[in-house]
Coordinates of all heavy atoms in Angstrom, one line a residue:
M1 N -8.0 5.7 -6.5 CA -6.9 4.8 -6.7 C -6.1 5.2 -8.0 O -6.7 5.5 -9.0 CB -7.4 3.4 -6.8 CG -6.3 2.4 -7.2 SD -6.9 0.8 -7.7 CE -7.9 1.2 -9.1
A2 N -4.8 5.2 -7.9 CA -4.0 5.5 -9.0 C -2.9 4.5 -9.1 O -2.3 4.2 -8.1 CB -3.4 6.9 -8.9
I3 N -2.7 4.0 -10.3 CA -1.6 3.1 -10.5 C -0.7 3.7 -11.6 O -1.2 4.0 -12.7 CB -2.1 1.7 -10.9 CG1 -2.9 1.2 -9.8 CG2 -0.9 0.8 -11.2 CD1 -3.6 -0.1 -10.1
L4 N 0.5 4.0 -11.3 CA 1.4 4.6 -12.2 C 2.5 3.6 -12.6 O 2.9 2.8 -11.9 CB 2.1 5.8 -11.5 CG 1.0 6.8 -10.9 CD1 1.8 7.8 -10.1 CD2 0.2 7.4 -11.9
G5 N 3.0 3.8 -13.8 CA 4.1 2.9 -14.3 C 3.6 2.0 -15.3 O 3.0 2.4 -16.3
K6 N 3.8 0.7 -15.2 CA 3.4 -0.3 -16.2 C 1.9 -0.6 -16.2 O 1.3 -0.5 -15.2 CB 4.2 -1.6 -15.9 CG 5.6 -1.5 -16.1 CD 6.3 -2.8 -16.1 CE 7.8 -2.7 -16.4 NZ 8.4 -3.9 -16.5
K7 N 1.4 -0.9 -17.4 CA 0.0 -1.2 -17.6 C -0.3 -2.5 -16.9 O 0.5 -3.5 -16.9 CB -0.3 -1.3 -19.0 CG -1.8 -1.5 -19.3 CD -2.0 -1.5 -20.8 CE -3.5 -1.6 -21.1 NZ -3.8 -1.6 -22.5
I8 N -1.5 -2.6 -16.2 CA -1.9 -3.8 -15.5 C -3.2 -4.3 -16.1 O -3.9 -3.6 -16.7 CB -2.0 -3.6 -14.0 CG1 -3.0 -2.5 -13.7 CG2 -0.6 -3.2 -13.4 CD1 -3.4 -2.4 -12.3
K9 N -3.6 -5.5 -15.7 CA -4.9 -6.0 -16.1 C -5.3 -7.0 -15.1 O -4.5 -7.6 -14.3 CB -4.9 -6.6 -17.5 CG -4.0 -7.8 -17.6 CD -4.1 -8.3 -19.1 CE -3.1 -9.6 -19.2 NZ -3.2 -10.1 -20.5
G10 N -6.6 -7.3 -15.0 CA -7.1 -8.4 -14.1 C -7.9 -7.8 -13.0 O -8.5 -6.7 -13.1
R11 N -8.0 -8.6 -11.9 CA -8.8 -8.2 -10.7 C -8.1 -8.7 -9.5 O -7.2 -9.4 -9.5 CB -10.2 -8.7 -10.8 CG -10.3 -10.2 -10.9 CD -11.8 -10.6 -11.0 NE -11.8 -12.0 -11.0 CZ -11.6 -12.8 -9.9 NH1 -11.3 -12.3 -8.7 NH2 -11.7 -14.1 -10.0
G12 N -8.5 -8.2 -8.3 CA -7.9 -8.6 -7.0 C -8.2 -7.5 -6.0 O -9.3 -7.3 -5.7
V13 N -7.2 -6.9 -5.5 CA -7.4 -5.8 -4.5 C -8.2 -4.7 -5.1 O -7.8 -4.2 -6.2 CB -6.0 -5.2 -4.0 CG1 -6.3 -4.0 -3.1 CG2 -5.2 -6.3 -3.3
N14 N -9.3 -4.4 -4.6 CA -10.3 -3.4 -5.1 C -10.5 -3.7 -6.6 O -10.6 -2.8 -7.4 CB -9.7 -2.0 -5.0 CG -9.9 -1.4 -3.6 OD1 -10.5 -2.1 -2.7 ND2 -9.3 -0.3 -3.3
G15 N -10.6 -5.0 -6.9 CA -10.9 -5.4 -8.3 C -9.7 -5.6 -9.2 O -9.8 -5.8 -10.4
L16 N -8.5 -5.6 -8.6 CA -7.3 -5.7 -9.4 C -6.4 -6.8 -9.0 O -6.1 -7.0 -7.8 CB -6.4 -4.4 -9.3 CG -7.1 -3.1 -9.7 CD1 -6.2 -1.9 -9.4 CD2 -7.3 -3.1 -11.2
I17 N -6.0 -7.6 -9.9 CA -4.9 -8.6 -9.7 C -3.8 -8.1 -10.8 O -4.2 -8.0 -11.9 CB -5.3 -10.0 -10.0 CG1 -6.2 -10.6 -8.9 CG2 -4.0 -10.9 -10.1 CD1 -6.7 -12.0 -9.1
F18 N -2.6 -7.9 -10.3 CA -1.6 -7.4 -11.2 C -1.0 -8.5 -12.0 O -0.6 -9.5 -11.5 CB -0.5 -6.7 -10.5 CG -1.1 -5.5 -9.6 CD1 -1.0 -5.6 -8.3 CD2 -1.6 -4.4 -10.2 CE1 -1.5 -4.5 -7.5 CE2 -2.1 -3.4 -9.5 CZ -2.1 -3.4 -8.1
S19 N -1.0 -8.4 -13.3 CA -0.4 -9.4 -14.2 C 1.1 -9.1 -14.4 O 1.8 -9.9 -14.8 CB -1.1 -9.5 -15.5 OG -1.1 -8.3 -16.2
R20 N 1.5 -7.9 -14.0 CA 2.9 -7.5 -14.1 C 3.2 -6.7 -12.9 O 2.3 -6.1 -12.2 CB 3.1 -6.5 -15.3 CG 2.8 -7.2 -16.6 CD 3.2 -6.3 -17.8 NE 2.8 -6.9 -19.0 CZ 2.0 -6.3 -19.9 NH1 1.5 -5.1 -19.7 NH2 1.6 -6.9 -21.0
Q21 N 4.5 -6.6 -12.6 CA 4.9 -5.7 -11.5 C 4.8 -4.3 -11.8 O 4.9 -3.9 -13.0 CB 6.3 -6.1 -11.0 CG 6.4 -7.5 -10.4 CD 7.7 -7.7 -9.8 OE1 8.7 -7.2 -10.3 NE2 7.8 -8.4 -8.7
V22 N 4.5 -3.5 -10.8 CA 4.3 -2.0 -11.0 C 5.3 -1.3 -10.2 O 5.9 -1.8 -9.3 CB 2.9 -1.6 -10.7 CG1 1.9 -2.1 -11.6 CG2 2.5 -1.9 -9.2
T23 N 5.5 0.0 -10.5 CA 6.6 0.8 -9.8 C 6.0 1.8 -8.9 O 6.7 2.2 -8.0 CB 7.4 1.6 -10.9 OG1 6.6 2.3 -11.7 CG2 8.2 0.6 -11.7
K24 N 4.8 2.2 -9.1 CA 4.2 3.2 -8.1 C 2.7 3.0 -8.1 O 2.0 2.9 -9.1 CB 4.5 4.6 -8.6 CG 4.1 5.7 -7.6 CD 4.7 7.0 -7.9 CE 4.4 8.0 -6.7 NZ 5.1 9.2 -6.9
V25 N 2.2 2.9 -6.8 CA 0.8 2.7 -6.6 C 0.3 3.6 -5.5 O 1.0 3.8 -4.5 CB 0.5 1.2 -6.2 CG1 -1.0 1.0 -5.9 CG2 1.0 0.2 -7.2
E26 N -0.9 4.2 -5.7 CA -1.5 5.0 -4.6 C -2.9 4.5 -4.4 O -3.7 4.3 -5.3 CB -1.6 6.5 -5.1 CG -0.3 7.1 -5.3 CD -0.4 8.6 -5.8 OE1 -1.5 9.1 -5.8 OE2 0.7 9.1 -6.2
M27 N -3.2 4.2 -3.1 CA -4.5 3.6 -2.8 C -5.1 4.4 -1.6 O -4.4 4.8 -0.7 CB -4.3 2.1 -2.3 CG -3.7 1.2 -3.3 SD -4.7 1.0 -4.8 CE -6.1 0.0 -4.1
D28 N -6.4 4.5 -1.7 CA -7.2 5.2 -0.6 C -8.0 4.1 0.1 O -9.0 3.6 -0.5 CB -8.1 6.2 -1.3 CG -8.9 7.0 -0.3 OD1 -9.0 6.6 0.9 OD2 -9.4 8.1 -0.7
F29 N -7.7 3.8 1.3 CA -8.4 2.9 2.1 C -9.2 3.6 3.2 O -9.5 3.0 4.3 CB -7.5 1.9 2.7 CG -6.8 1.0 1.7 CD1 -5.4 0.7 1.8 CD2 -7.5 0.4 0.7 CE1 -4.8 -0.1 0.9 CE2 -6.8 -0.4 -0.3 CZ -5.5 -0.6 -0.1
M30 N -9.6 4.8 3.0 CA -10.4 5.6 4.0 C -11.7 4.9 4.2 O -12.4 4.4 3.3 CB -10.7 7.0 3.4 CG -9.4 7.7 3.1 SD -8.7 8.5 4.5 CE -9.8 9.8 4.8
G31 N -12.1 4.7 5.5 CA -13.3 4.1 5.8 C -13.3 2.6 6.0 O -14.2 2.0 6.4
E32 N -12.1 2.0 5.6 CA -12.0 0.6 5.7 C -11.3 0.3 7.1 O -10.4 0.9 7.5 CB -11.2 0.0 4.6 CG -11.8 0.2 3.3 CD -11.2 -0.6 2.2 OE1 -10.6 -1.7 2.4 OE2 -11.2 -0.1 1.0
I33 N -11.9 -0.7 7.8 CA -11.4 -1.0 9.2 C -10.5 -2.2 9.1 O -10.4 -3.0 8.2 CB -12.6 -1.3 10.1 CG1 -13.5 -2.5 9.6 CG2 -13.5 -0.1 10.3 CD1 -14.5 -2.9 10.6
C34 N -9.7 -2.3 10.2 CA -8.7 -3.4 10.4 C -9.4 -4.7 10.3 O -10.5 -4.8 10.9 CB -8.0 -3.2 11.7 SG -6.9 -1.8 11.7
P35 N -8.8 -5.7 9.8 CA -7.4 -5.7 9.2 C -7.4 -5.5 7.7 O -6.4 -5.8 7.0 CB -7.0 -7.1 9.5 CG -8.2 -8.0 9.4 CD -9.3 -7.1 9.9
V36 N -8.5 -5.1 7.1 CA -8.7 -5.0 5.6 C -7.5 -4.2 5.0 O -6.9 -4.7 4.0 CB -10.0 -4.4 5.2 CG1 -10.1 -4.2 3.7 CG2 -11.1 -5.4 5.7
P37 N -7.2 -3.0 5.4 CA -6.1 -2.2 4.8 C -4.7 -3.0 4.8 O -4.0 -3.0 3.8 CB -6.0 -0.9 5.6 CG -7.3 -0.7 6.1 CD -7.8 -2.1 6.5
S38 N -4.4 -3.6 5.9 CA -3.1 -4.3 6.0 C -3.1 -5.5 5.1 O -2.1 -5.9 4.5 CB -2.7 -4.7 7.4 OG -3.7 -5.5 8.0
I39 N -4.2 -6.2 4.9 CA -4.3 -7.4 4.0 C -4.1 -6.9 2.6 O -3.4 -7.5 1.8 CB -5.6 -8.1 4.2 CG1 -5.7 -8.8 5.6 CG2 -5.8 -9.1 3.1 CD1 -7.0 -9.4 6.0
K40 N -4.8 -5.8 2.2 CA -4.7 -5.3 0.9 C -3.3 -4.8 0.6 O -2.7 -5.0 -0.5 CB -5.7 -4.2 0.6 CG -7.1 -4.7 0.6 CD -8.1 -3.6 0.3 CE -9.5 -4.2 0.1 NZ -10.5 -3.1 -0.1
V41 N -2.6 -4.2 1.6 CA -1.2 -3.7 1.4 C -0.3 -4.9 1.1 O 0.5 -4.8 0.2 CB -0.8 -2.9 2.6 CG1 0.7 -2.7 2.6 CG2 -1.5 -1.5 2.6
R42 N -0.5 -6.0 1.9 CA 0.3 -7.2 1.7 C 0.2 -7.7 0.3 O 1.2 -8.1 -0.4 CB -0.1 -8.2 2.7 CG 1.1 -8.7 3.5 CD 0.7 -9.7 4.5 NE -0.2 -9.2 5.5 CZ -1.3 -9.9 6.0 NH1 -1.5 -11.1 5.6 NH2 -2.1 -9.3 6.9
L43 N -1.0 -7.7 -0.2 CA -1.2 -8.2 -1.6 C -0.6 -7.3 -2.6 O 0.0 -7.7 -3.6 CB -2.7 -8.3 -1.9 CG -3.5 -9.4 -1.1 CD1 -5.0 -9.3 -1.3 CD2 -3.0 -10.8 -1.5
L44 N -0.7 -6.0 -2.4 CA -0.1 -5.0 -3.4 C 1.4 -5.1 -3.4 O 2.0 -4.9 -4.4 CB -0.6 -3.6 -3.0 CG -2.1 -3.3 -3.3 CD1 -2.5 -2.1 -2.6 CD2 -2.3 -3.2 -4.8
L45 N 2.0 -5.3 -2.2 CA 3.5 -5.3 -2.1 C 4.1 -6.4 -2.9 O 5.2 -6.3 -3.3 CB 3.9 -5.3 -0.7 CG 3.7 -4.0 0.1 CD1 4.0 -4.2 1.6 CD2 4.4 -2.8 -0.5
K46 N 3.4 -7.5 -3.0 CA 3.9 -8.7 -3.8 C 4.2 -8.3 -5.2 O 5.0 -9.0 -5.8 CB 2.9 -9.8 -3.7 CG 2.8 -10.5 -2.4 CD 1.8 -11.6 -2.4 CE 1.6 -12.3 -1.1 NZ 0.6 -13.3 -1.1
N47 N 3.5 -7.3 -5.7 CA 3.7 -7.0 -7.2 C 4.4 -5.7 -7.4 O 4.3 -5.1 -8.5 CB 2.3 -6.9 -7.8 CG 1.7 -8.3 -7.8 OD1 2.1 -9.2 -8.5 ND2 0.6 -8.5 -7.0
L48 N 5.1 -5.2 -6.4 CA 5.8 -3.9 -6.5 C 7.3 -4.2 -6.8 O 7.9 -5.1 -6.2 CB 5.7 -3.2 -5.1 CG 6.0 -1.7 -5.1 CD1 5.0 -0.9 -6.0 CD2 6.0 -1.2 -3.7
H49 N 7.8 -3.6 -7.8 CA 9.2 -3.7 -8.2 C 10.1 -3.2 -7.1 O 9.7 -2.3 -6.3 CB 9.5 -2.8 -9.4 CG 9.2 -3.4 -10.8 ND1 9.9 -4.5 -11.2 CD2 8.4 -3.0 -11.7 CE1 9.5 -4.8 -12.4 NE2 8.6 -3.9 -12.8
A50 N 11.3 -3.7 -7.1 CA 12.3 -3.2 -6.2 C 12.5 -1.7 -6.6 O 12.6 -1.4 -7.8 CB 13.6 -4.0 -6.4
G51 N 12.5 -0.8 -5.6 CA 12.6 0.6 -5.9 C 11.2 1.2 -6.1 O 11.1 2.4 -6.2
G52 N 10.2 0.4 -6.1 CA 8.8 0.9 -6.2 C 8.3 1.5 -4.9 O 8.8 1.3 -3.9
E53 N 7.2 2.2 -5.1 CA 6.6 2.9 -4.0 C 5.1 2.6 -3.9 O 4.4 2.7 -4.9 CB 6.9 4.4 -4.1 CG 6.3 5.2 -3.0 CD 6.6 6.7 -3.2 OE1 7.8 7.1 -3.0 OE2 5.7 7.4 -3.6
L54 N 4.6 2.4 -2.7 CA 3.2 2.2 -2.4 C 2.8 3.3 -1.5 O 3.4 3.5 -0.4 CB 2.8 0.9 -1.8 CG 1.4 0.6 -1.3 CD1 0.4 0.8 -2.4 CD2 1.3 -0.7 -0.7
K55 N 1.8 4.2 -1.8 CA 1.3 5.2 -1.0 C -0.1 4.9 -0.6 O -1.0 4.7 -1.5 CB 1.3 6.6 -1.7 CG 1.0 7.7 -0.8 CD 1.0 9.1 -1.5 CE 2.4 9.4 -2.1 NZ 2.4 10.8 -2.7
V56 N -0.4 4.8 0.7 CA -1.7 4.4 1.2 C -2.3 5.5 2.1 O -1.6 6.0 3.0 CB -1.6 3.1 2.0 CG1 -2.9 2.7 2.6 CG2 -1.0 2.0 1.1
L57 N -3.6 5.8 1.9 CA -4.3 6.7 2.8 C -5.2 5.9 3.7 O -6.0 5.1 3.2 CB -5.1 7.8 2.1 CG -4.4 8.9 1.5 CD1 -5.3 9.8 0.7 CD2 -3.7 9.8 2.5
V58 N -5.2 6.1 5.0 CA -6.1 5.5 6.0 C -6.6 6.5 7.0 O -6.0 7.5 7.2 CB -5.4 4.3 6.7 CG1 -5.1 3.2 5.7 CG2 -4.2 4.7 7.5
D59 N -7.7 6.1 7.6 CA -8.3 7.0 8.6 C -8.5 6.3 9.9 O -9.3 6.8 10.8 CB -9.6 7.7 8.1 CG -10.7 6.7 7.7 OD1 -10.4 5.5 7.7 OD2 -11.8 7.2 7.4
H60 N -7.8 5.2 10.2 CA -7.9 4.5 11.4 C -6.4 4.3 11.9 O -5.6 3.7 11.2 CB -8.5 3.2 11.3 CG -10.0 3.3 11.0 ND1 -10.9 3.5 12.0 CD2 -10.7 3.2 9.9 CE1 -12.1 3.5 11.5 NE2 -12.0 3.4 10.2
S61 N -6.1 4.8 13.1 CA -4.7 4.7 13.6 C -4.3 3.2 13.7 O -3.1 2.9 13.5 CB -4.6 5.4 14.9 OG -5.4 4.8 15.9
C62 N -5.2 2.3 14.1 CA -4.9 0.9 14.2 C -4.4 0.3 12.8 O -3.6 -0.5 12.8 CB -6.0 0.1 14.8 SG -7.5 0.0 13.8
A63 N -5.0 0.8 11.7 CA -4.6 0.4 10.4 C -3.1 0.7 10.1 O -2.4 -0.1 9.5 CB -5.5 1.0 9.3
V64 N -2.7 1.9 10.6 CA -1.3 2.3 10.4 C -0.4 1.3 11.1 O 0.6 0.8 10.5 CB -1.1 3.8 10.9 CG1 0.4 4.1 10.9 CG2 -1.9 4.8 10.2
G65 N -0.7 1.0 12.4 CA 0.1 0.1 13.1 C 0.2 -1.3 12.5 O 1.2 -1.9 12.4
N66 N -1.0 -1.8 12.0 CA -1.0 -3.1 11.4 C -0.3 -3.2 10.1 O 0.4 -4.2 9.8 CB -2.5 -3.5 11.2 CG -3.2 -3.9 12.4 OD1 -2.6 -4.2 13.5 ND2 -4.5 -3.9 12.4
I67 N -0.3 -2.1 9.3 CA 0.4 -2.1 8.1 C 1.9 -2.1 8.4 O 2.6 -2.9 7.8 CB 0.1 -0.8 7.2 CG1 -1.4 -1.0 6.7 CG2 1.1 -0.6 6.1 CD1 -1.9 0.3 6.1
I68 N 2.4 -1.3 9.3 CA 3.8 -1.3 9.6 C 4.3 -2.6 10.2 O 5.4 -3.1 9.9 CB 4.1 -0.1 10.6 CG1 3.8 1.2 9.8 CG2 5.5 -0.1 11.1 CD1 3.8 2.4 10.7
E69 N 3.5 -3.2 11.1 CA 3.9 -4.5 11.7 C 4.0 -5.6 10.7 O 4.9 -6.5 10.9 CB 2.8 -4.9 12.7 CG 2.9 -4.2 14.1 CD 1.8 -4.7 15.0 OE1 1.3 -5.8 14.8 OE2 1.5 -3.9 16.0
G70 N 3.3 -5.5 9.6 CA 3.3 -6.5 8.6 C 4.5 -6.4 7.6 O 4.7 -7.3 6.8
L71 N 5.3 -5.3 7.7 CA 6.4 -5.1 6.8 C 7.6 -5.9 7.2 O 8.0 -5.9 8.3 CB 6.7 -3.6 6.7 CG 5.7 -2.7 6.1 CD1 6.1 -1.3 6.2 CD2 5.3 -3.1 4.7
D72 N 8.3 -6.5 6.2 CA 9.6 -7.1 6.4 C 10.6 -5.9 6.4 O 10.8 -5.3 5.4 CB 9.9 -8.1 5.3 CG 11.3 -8.7 5.4 OD1 12.1 -8.3 6.3 OD2 11.6 -9.6 4.6
K73 N 11.2 -5.7 7.5 CA 12.1 -4.5 7.7 C 13.3 -4.6 6.8 O 13.9 -3.6 6.5 CB 12.5 -4.3 9.2 CG 11.3 -4.2 10.1 CD 10.4 -3.1 9.9 CE 9.4 -3.0 11.0 NZ 8.1 -2.8 10.6
K74 N 13.6 -5.8 6.4 CA 14.8 -5.9 5.5 C 14.5 -5.6 4.0 O 15.4 -5.4 3.2 CB 15.4 -7.3 5.6 CG 15.9 -7.6 7.0 CD 16.4 -9.0 7.0 CE 16.9 -9.3 8.5 NZ 17.2 -10.8 8.6
A75 N 13.2 -5.6 3.7 CA 12.8 -5.4 2.3 C 12.1 -4.1 2.0 O 12.0 -3.7 0.9 CB 11.9 -6.6 1.9
Y76 N 11.6 -3.4 3.1 CA 10.8 -2.2 2.9 C 11.3 -1.1 3.9 O 11.6 -1.4 5.0 CB 9.4 -2.5 3.2 CG 8.8 -3.6 2.3 CD1 8.6 -4.9 2.7 CD2 8.4 -3.3 1.0 CE1 8.1 -5.9 1.9 CE2 7.9 -4.3 0.1 CZ 7.8 -5.6 0.6 OH 7.3 -6.5 -0.2
Q77 N 11.1 0.1 3.4 CA 11.3 1.3 4.2 C 9.9 1.9 4.3 O 9.1 1.8 3.3 CB 12.2 2.4 3.6 CG 13.6 2.1 3.7 CD 14.4 3.3 3.0 OE1 14.0 3.8 2.0 NE2 15.4 3.8 3.7
H78 N 9.6 2.6 5.4 CA 8.2 3.3 5.4 C 8.3 4.6 6.1 O 9.2 4.9 6.9 CB 7.2 2.4 6.1 CG 7.5 2.3 7.6 ND1 8.3 1.3 8.1 CD2 7.0 3.0 8.7 CE1 8.4 1.5 9.4 NE2 7.6 2.4 9.8
V79 N 7.4 5.5 5.7 CA 7.3 6.8 6.4 C 5.8 7.0 6.6 O 5.0 6.7 5.7 CB 7.8 7.9 5.4 CG1 7.5 9.3 6.0 CG2 9.3 7.7 5.1
V80 N 5.4 7.5 7.8 CA 4.0 7.8 8.1 C 3.9 9.3 8.3 O 4.6 9.9 9.1 CB 3.6 7.0 9.4 CG1 2.1 7.3 9.7 CG2 3.8 5.5 9.1
N81 N 2.9 9.9 7.7 CA 2.6 11.3 7.9 C 1.1 11.4 8.2 O 0.3 10.8 7.5 CB 2.9 12.1 6.6 CG 4.3 12.0 6.1 OD1 5.2 12.3 6.9 ND2 4.5 11.7 4.9
E82 N 0.8 12.2 9.2 CA -0.6 12.6 9.5 C -0.9 13.8 8.6 O -0.5 14.9 9.0 CB -0.8 12.8 11.0 CG -2.3 13.0 11.3 CD -2.7 13.0 12.7 OE1 -1.7 13.0 13.6 OE2 -3.8 12.9 13.1
V83 N -1.6 13.6 7.5 CA -1.8 14.7 6.5 C -3.0 15.6 6.9 O -3.1 16.7 6.4 CB -2.0 14.1 5.1 CG1 -0.7 13.5 4.6 CG2 -3.2 13.1 5.1
A84 N -3.8 15.1 7.8 CA -4.9 15.9 8.3 C -5.3 15.2 9.7 O -4.8 14.1 10.0 CB -6.1 15.9 7.4
N85 N -6.1 15.9 10.4 CA -6.5 15.3 11.7 C -7.2 14.0 11.5 O -8.3 13.9 10.9 CB -7.4 16.3 12.5 CG -7.7 15.9 13.9 OD1 -6.9 15.1 14.5 ND2 -8.8 16.3 14.4
G86 N -6.6 12.9 11.9 CA -7.2 11.6 11.8 C -7.0 10.9 10.5 O -7.6 9.9 10.2
I87 N -6.2 11.5 9.6 CA -5.9 10.9 8.3 C -4.4 10.7 8.1 O -3.6 11.7 8.2 CB -6.5 11.7 7.1 CG1 -8.0 11.9 7.3 CG2 -6.1 11.1 5.8 CD1 -8.6 12.8 6.3
W88 N -4.0 9.5 7.9 CA -2.6 9.1 7.7 C -2.2 8.7 6.3 O -3.0 8.0 5.7 CB -2.2 8.0 8.7 CG -2.2 8.5 10.1 CD1 -1.2 9.1 10.9 CD2 -3.4 8.4 11.0 NE1 -1.7 9.3 12.1 CE2 -3.0 8.9 12.2 CE3 -4.7 7.9 10.8 CZ2 -3.9 9.0 13.3 CZ3 -5.5 8.0 11.9 CH2 -5.1 8.5 13.1
E89 N -1.0 9.1 5.9 CA -0.5 8.6 4.6 C 0.7 7.7 5.0 O 1.6 8.2 5.7 CB 0.0 9.8 3.8 CG 0.7 9.5 2.6 CD 1.2 10.8 1.9 OE1 2.2 11.4 2.5 OE2 0.7 11.2 0.9
V90 N 0.7 6.5 4.5 CA 1.8 5.6 4.7 C 2.5 5.4 3.4 O 1.8 4.9 2.4 CB 1.3 4.2 5.3 CG1 2.5 3.3 5.6 CG2 0.5 4.4 6.6
I91 N 3.8 5.7 3.3 CA 4.5 5.5 2.1 C 5.5 4.4 2.3 O 6.3 4.4 3.3 CB 5.3 6.8 1.7 CG1 4.3 8.0 1.5 CG2 6.1 6.6 0.4 CD1 4.9 9.3 1.4
I92 N 5.4 3.4 1.5 CA 6.3 2.2 1.6 C 7.1 2.1 0.4 O 6.6 2.1 -0.7 CB 5.4 0.9 1.8 CG1 4.5 1.1 3.0 CG2 6.3 -0.3 1.9 CD1 3.4 0.1 3.1
K93 N 8.4 1.9 0.5 CA 9.4 1.7 -0.6 C 10.0 0.4 -0.5 O 10.4 0.0 0.6 CB 10.4 2.8 -0.6 CG 9.9 4.2 -0.9 CD 10.9 5.2 -1.1 CE 10.3 6.6 -1.4 NZ 11.3 7.6 -1.6
K94 N 10.1 -0.3 -1.6 CA 10.7 -1.6 -1.6 C 12.1 -1.5 -2.0 O 12.4 -0.8 -3.0 CB 9.9 -2.5 -2.6 CG 10.3 -4.0 -2.6 CD 9.3 -4.8 -3.5 CE 9.6 -6.3 -3.3 NZ 8.6 -7.0 -4.1
F95 N 13.0 -2.2 -1.3 CA 14.4 -2.2 -1.7 C 14.7 -3.1 -2.9 O 14.1 -4.0 -3.2 CB 15.3 -2.8 -0.5 CG 15.2 -2.0 0.7 CD1 15.0 -2.6 1.9 CD2 15.4 -0.6 0.7 CE1 15.0 -1.9 3.1 CE2 15.3 0.1 1.9 CZ 15.2 -0.5 3.1

């Protein structure tokens, strides 16, 4: 996991609750089954600045679908790349 931008503190998703909004977050949810990745993404997006980016790695195709379905299309853009056989990178940008 990598969190870039502003300093954070606390716990929550994977032990982190953000006390401040962040601008760039990278999370690895490999091996986690649905609906866990989409729930964690929802929590992370609440603390992402407008213009911020969340990059997520998953290895279950259903997780990709659930993450995308949960996005508010008016507030977020997304791109999905299969970076290796059975591994997807979902990049979400907040407007």
Side-chain angles (χ1 to χ4, degrees):
M1 170 191 63
I3 301 172
L4 309 172
K6 294 189 175 187
K7 188 176 180 179
I8 60 166
K9 63 180 179 179
R11 59 181 184 74
V13 176
N14 285 352
L16 298 172
I17 289 178
F18 303 113
S19 61
R20 298 187 186 125
Q21 291 189 326
V22 293
T23 54
K24 188 166 186 173
V25 181
E26 297 180 9
M27 299 296 290
D28 183 344
F29 296 137
M30 302 280 284
E32 296 191 31
I33 58 172
C34 293
V36 174
S38 61
I39 292 169
K40 289 181 176 181
V41 164
R42 238 179 295 140
L43 293 171
L44 289 164
L45 289 175
K46 288 180 182 179
N47 295 293
L48 197 64
H49 272 298
E53 178 180 288
L54 171 61
K55 187 183 295 186
V56 178
L57 282 178
V58 294
D59 58 354
H60 292 278
S61 60
C62 65
V64 174
N66 287 341
I67 290 168
I68 293 168
E69 282 180 19
L71 294 177
D72 177 355
K73 305 298 186 232
K74 295 177 184 174
Y76 302 99
Q77 283 183 314
H78 70 275
V79 176
V80 178
N81 299 310
E82 189 169 9
V83 294
N85 189 23
I87 299 174
W88 292 270
E89 175 185 72
V90 182
I91 301 170
I92 303 167
K93 292 186 180 181
K94 189 172 187 177
F95 296 133

